[in-house]
Amino acid sequence: MTKLMTGSNPKAVAWLSFLAFFSVLNETVFTVSLPDIANHFGITPSAVNWINTSFILSFAIGTAVYGKLSDLYGVRKLLLLGLLIYGAGSLIGALCHSWYAGVLAARFVQGAGVSAVPALIMVIAARYIEPNLQGRAFGLIGSVVASGEGVGPVIGGIITGYLHWHFLFILPMMTLLTLPFFIQTLPGEPVKKGKMDVVGAVLLSIGIIAFTLFTTMYYWVYIIVGAVCFIGFMLRIRQAEQPFIEPSLFRRKTFIVGVLTGGILLGTVAGYVSMVPYMMKEVHQMSTSLIGVGILFPGTVSVILFGIAGGLFVDRRGYRFTMIIGLCMISASFLSISLFADQTPWLTSCATVLTFGGLSFVKTVVSTSVAGALSSEESGSGMGLLNFACFLAEGIGVAIVGGLLTRSWLTYPLLPTIIDVTASLYSNLTLVFIAAILIGGSFFLFVYSRLQKKP
């Protein structure tokens, strides 16, 4: 397979970085706008949070699907298809912004399209950029991804505060500017023989959506449907010639522990981040633009610095030490919010820096421990499953928090430090987050350590 010409490598990296930035931006750009959208449609947090949840769910499932299809159809066709779907979803959202169901559908379509980018962009860099430039390319793309996540809440807050939230659907259309470059540059690849486990993918997707619906609506029919689909999926991957997920991965206990830990901890932090705009609006009456710039932006940007520190800690002090530091940072952040949710809003800004910093440590530990549990033959599918599980957990975490924000029993004042009755809901909900963090962290520290001691 031909590489890109040496002289065009800088251009290739620039276009890949541009694509990565505007793709990942859409993960966080709507977060601070959800309270405004809820007011616009007159709906509850449990309903409006599906604007983010639907995107993340289709994004998670799409990442796994595109990864499987790339070996059969090549990256060029799939990337172009994904970008066109992404653009179509954005257009639907811009035109149907006055209809809640249309906005929900648009976000789902957006996730289904843009999920091609993380699944394929690293493959493109590995295949088409010369080996001596790949390190710099991966580093630049990674930095751009982190900056996109960081400025997402800022851009979302400014546009919503000074214009209108439906303009957020216009931004993703910037990715269509990359189409001429990739059409001209990426060579066509022949279709290879093989099968996509469509039945397995459908069973897993329906099961995930049904379970997530249960977490917000609490109808038992959803959990029954989800359980039936999950059982069917497990039976299917044992029988399929080319299963959607390799069943051998489920026999690696250290791998499963890492995936479950990552899911619990990342899902909890995603739920916390989705709660913050509601708390800032109701308790501190902050504007949407100020929430994005002053509250969430410092935390999301700190991920870059703490991510580097987390890697150094893992190499020098090991998984256990780094995980404990990360858990302590997140727990301290949540505890401060739980005790003083009605105090100065800038406490939340500082706490969010601790949250994202601890999350960086946790992510580093989970990624490296899972990678170490896999053989070289399993690394591709195993790390893909980890990414899928973490994206999925984040979507479920956002959905669960949306449901809990409507529960009246959470408004009962528990801590004597909370004076404002409105703040009791957020104080109590943060106690739930602390419990989830302790469960996920303890599971890793005790179970993983025991597995590591076994010969």
Side-chain angles (χ1 to χ4, degrees), residues 254-259 261-262 314 319-320 323 362-374 383 386 444 448 452:
T254 50
F255 169 78
I256 295 300
V257 169
V259 170
T261 301
V314 167
Y319 299 150
R320 185 180 181 84
M323 176 62 80
V362 167
K363 278 185 174 181
T364 303
V365 171
V366 169
S367 298
T368 52
S369 63
V370 166
L374 300 169
M383 296 306 289
L386 173 64
F444 179 87
Y448 190 84
Q452 287 295 93

Side-chain angles (χ1 to χ4, degrees), residues 6 22 45 84 115 132 146 198 204 226 317 319 339 370 439 454:
T6 304
F22 281 99
L84 290 175
S115 56
N132 63 316
V198 178
L204 182 61
R317 302 298 300 271
Y319 299 150
L339 290 172
V370 166
I439 291 171
K454 289 184 178 181

Side-chain angles (χ1 to χ4, degrees), residues 3 7 79 130 143 152 164 166 171 257 317 328 338 368 399:
K3 300 273 186 183
L79 183 63
E130 294 179 352
S143 299
H164 191 270
H166 85 268
L171 287 176
V257 169
R317 302 298 300 271
C328 288
S338 187
T368 52

Side-chain angles (χ1 to χ4, degrees), residues 288 296 436:
T288 303
L296 291 181

